[in-house]
């Protein structure tokens, strides 16, 4: 469990080589594309009939209509445990507060007198939000997907989430309650690749969407990849992961708990400790067995912590530790060191950074106000987590008057002829007569 990689006493390799040395789950999306492609094609050709058959085969639920009735949404909210509803309301309020500050404003730049470019920010018209429901019904993902879409001004929002046999073929009651609380009325009891196909092609009551967001398993990811272009996507989500950068001041009880909490998601979840302290590493390893034994999902956690995607990396100093976590580019990165904020400000690559002993990843999963839909698999090197910006498109509005065009016409002419595109030059020249 949690094998060690000792990088002390030698010069660290380059970023790419270092990234290849670090623990990470292998997710072979291509390996399932041959399974997913026929599902997508079946839904494209046969629509709701295909969805019904696929759902019966994979989820054990045979329903003539996969649209969730409004009455079921209303009942889920009405019967929601008051403490759960209060927790959802608080999470929504915090996520709204943070994401409201992400709204973009139109900006007009005067390039020259009489010539301006305005950047307008317009929301995607219709989005499909996927909420997983396999090993765990992620009702918090409803909040994380819906709130930024609403703040962006998306006018049409649909949610798809797997049906549950133990809930009469409806999705998880908590997921439905979260949808109802946020005013989402279009919810579909369909999961997996077939849900992405429903969003992409339309089926039953669901009209096609312009964009799909939300995490999912490898089949969902493969479907998003295959339909990308027909629809926009947020990312190709892989197994969840946490890295903890810690020194000898970190509490091993906290560190062990945080590694375990992430491993709880999935047997493929990654949990990596990067530390300057061998004593801390030993103490964390000593903590793990008892903490795992006290949890509900011990077998799942043990598999994740014992997998090749998890481990402990020993480094000489924090500079080396920062190089390692930047190469790893974790979905979630915790900093548990002296002067944690100063260290965190030096991090370049992470989906989200959790600073100090009182900001565990679990807080961000639910109620920090940040978004928990984050880049995985090293994609934090180039991609951001879900935000209001995900649902917005920048469109340039170009306005030049006759004098402003005339003033730049000679430069357009030169550049157009340099590219051997004389008709481009003529389109300007014809206006100068």
């Amino acid at each position: 469990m949690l094998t060690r990689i000792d990088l002390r006493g030698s010069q660290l390799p380059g970023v790419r080589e270092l990234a290849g040395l670090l623990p990470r789950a292998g997710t072979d999306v291509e390996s399932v594309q041959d399974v997913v492609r026929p599902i997508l094609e079946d839904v494209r050709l046969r629509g709701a009939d295909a969805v019904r058959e696929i759902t019966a085969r994979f989820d054990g639920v045979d329903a003539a209509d996969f649209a969730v009735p409004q009455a079921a949404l209303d009942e889920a909210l009405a019967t929601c445990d008051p403490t759960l509803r209060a927790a959802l309301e608080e999470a929504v309020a915090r996520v709204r507060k943070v994401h409201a500050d992400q709204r973009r404003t139109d900006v007009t730049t005067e390039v020259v007198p009489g010539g301006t470019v305005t950047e307008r920010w317009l929301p995607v018209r219709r989005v499909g939000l996927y909420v997983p429901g396999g090993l765990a019904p992620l009702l918090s993902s409803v909040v994380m997907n819906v709130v930024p879409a609403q703040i962006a001004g998306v006018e049409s929002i649909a949610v798809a989430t797997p049906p549950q046999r133990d809930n009469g073929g409806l999705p998880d009651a908590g997921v439905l309650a979260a949808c109802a609380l946020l005013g989402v009325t279009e919810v579909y009891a369909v999961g997996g690749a077939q849900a992405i196909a429903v969003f992409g092609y339309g089926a039953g009551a669901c009209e096609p969407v312009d964009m799909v967001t939300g995490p999912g398993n490898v089949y969902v990811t493969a479907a998003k990849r295959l339909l990308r272009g027909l629809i926009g996507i947020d990312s190709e989500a892989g197994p969840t992961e946490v890295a903890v950068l810690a020194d000898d001041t970190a509490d091993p009880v906290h560190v062990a708990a945080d590694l375990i909490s992430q491993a709880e998601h999935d047997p493929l979840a990654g949990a990596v400790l990067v530390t300057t302290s061998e004593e801390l590493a030993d103490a964390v390893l000593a903590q793990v067995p008892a903490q795992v034994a006290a949890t509900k999902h011990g077998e799942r956690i043990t598999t994740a912590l014992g997998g090749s995607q998890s481990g402990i990396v020993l480094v000489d100093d924090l500079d080396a530790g920062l190089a390692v976590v930047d190469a790893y580019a974790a979905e979630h990165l915790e900093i548990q060191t002296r002067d944690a904020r100063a260290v965190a400000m030096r991090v370049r690559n992470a989906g989200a950074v959790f600073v100090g002993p009182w900001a565990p990843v679990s807080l961000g999963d639910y109620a920090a106000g940040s978004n928990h839909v984050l880049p995985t698999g090293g994609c934090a090197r180039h991609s951001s987590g879900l935000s209001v910006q995900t649902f917005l498109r920048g469109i340039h509005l170009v306005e030049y008057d006759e004098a402003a065009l005339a003033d730049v016409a000679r430069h357009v002419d030169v550049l157009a002829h340099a590219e051997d595109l004389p008709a481009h030059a003529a389109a300007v020249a014809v206006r100068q007569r």
Side-chain angles (χ1 to χ4, degrees):
M1 185 180 291
L2 287 172
T3 57
R4 298 191 192 206
I5 300 173
D6 196 336
L7 298 179
R8 295 173 297 178
S10 61
Q11 185 174 354
L12 290 177
V15 173
R16 294 283 176 156
E17 184 181 355
L18 182 56
L21 292 173
L22 299 174
R24 174 150 271 145
T27 305
D28 188 359
V29 176
E30 290 186 8
S31 69
V32 302
Q33 286 189 338
D34 287 343
V35 175
V36 170
R37 191 175 281 108
I39 293 173
L40 303 182
E41 186 66 4
D42 197 17
V43 174
R44 184 183 74 84
L45 294 174
R46 298 198 300 124
D49 289 340
V51 174
R52 179 176 183 176
E53 292 174 14
I54 296 167
T55 300
R57 184 163 75 247
F58 291 146
D59 297 308
V61 173
D62 185 4
D65 187 358
F66 54 89
V68 175
Q70 184 61 47
L73 290 164
D74 294 340
E75 182 181 2
L77 186 58
T79 58
C80 183
D81 182 276
T83 58
L84 174 57
R85 178 166 181 162
L88 280 170
E89 289 172 342
E90 183 64 24
V92 168
R94 293 182 180 215
V95 172
R96 276 187 176 146
K97 185 172 185 178
V98 170
H99 287 68
D101 284 341
Q102 297 173 355
R103 283 182 291 209
R104 305 292 293 262
T105 57
D106 295 355
V107 176
T108 297
T109 302
E110 184 181 63
V111 183
V112 294
T116 64
V117 175
T118 300
E119 186 167 42
R120 300 187 65 209
W121 291 98
L122 298 175
V124 174
R125 183 191 66 84
R126 176 167 166 77
V127 299
L129 310 179
Y130 186 76
V131 177
L135 292 176
L138 298 185
L139 55 103
S140 57
S141 283
V142 178
V143 177
M144 301 296 175
N145 278 273
V146 171
V147 169
Q150 289 177 332
I151 291 174
V154 175
E155 66 182 57
S156 180
I157 295 174
V159 169
T161 186
Q164 306 292 323
R165 277 179 287 185
D166 59 2
N167 194 32
L170 291 170
D172 175 77
V175 169
L176 295 183
C179 288
L181 182 66
L182 287 163
V184 176
T185 59
E186 189 179 351
V187 181
Y188 298 100
V190 57
Q194 58 272 28
I196 310 305
V198 168
F199 283 150
Y201 297 120
C206 185
E207 295 295 324
V209 304
D210 300 308
M211 168 174 271
V212 172
T213 72
N217 63 19
V218 68
Y219 298 97
V220 170
T221 300
K224 290 168 76 174
R225 177 182 292 185
L226 289 168
L227 291 183
R228 187 172 191 168
L230 176 68
I231 54 172
I233 66 171
D234 53 344
S235 65
E236 293 187 9
T240 191
E241 61 202 20
V242 63
V244 179
L245 177 60
D247 62 15
D248 60 342
T249 66
D251 186 330
V253 176
H254 294 176
V255 174
D258 294 348
L259 297 174
I260 288 167
S261 70
Q262 207 61 27
E264 184 177 39
H265 274 287
D266 189 295
L268 291 176
V272 177
L273 169 61
V274 180
T275 183
T276 58
S277 170
E278 189 165 9
E279 292 74 18
L280 176 71
D282 291 340
V284 169
L285 285 173
Q287 279 290 324
V288 167
Q291 289 198 28
V292 171
T295 65
K296 178 180 180 181
H297 302 295
E299 183 177 352
R300 185 190 306 168
I301 294 166
T302 299
T303 300
L305 294 181
S308 60
Q309 72 274 21
S310 299
I312 296 175
V313 182
L314 296 169
V315 293
D316 286 318
D317 51 39
L318 281 178
D319 287 342
L322 283 164
V324 168
V325 296
D326 271 342
Y328 184 71
E331 177 189 18
H332 310 92
L333 173 63
E334 291 189 359
I335 306 294
Q336 299 197 32
T337 65
R338 293 178 181 84
D339 202 2
R341 191 173 196 281
V343 174
M345 293 301 288
R346 296 174 61 194
V347 171
R348 187 177 185 89
N349 301 329
V353 182
F354 299 82
V355 184
W358 312 117
V361 169
S362 296
L363 174 67
D365 282 344
Y366 300 113
S370 56
N371 204 292
H372 79 199
V373 183
L374 300 167
T376 62
C379 290
R381 290 181 297 105
H382 52 74
S383 299
S384 304
L386 195 73
S387 70
V388 171
Q389 181 64 35
T390 304
F391 301 99
L392 295 174
R393 299 156 299 132
I395 299 176
H396 280 173
L397 189 68
V398 180
E399 298 175 275
Y400 270 57
D401 62 20
E402 184 176 1
L405 177 61
D407 183 60
V408 78
R410 65 190 185 281
H411 298 305
V412 174
D413 182 84
V414 169
L415 291 168
H417 282 95
E419 293 185 347
D420 193 26
L421 297 171
H424 282 59
V428 172
V430 74
R431 290 170 164 79
Q432 309 303 308
R433 296 170 184 169

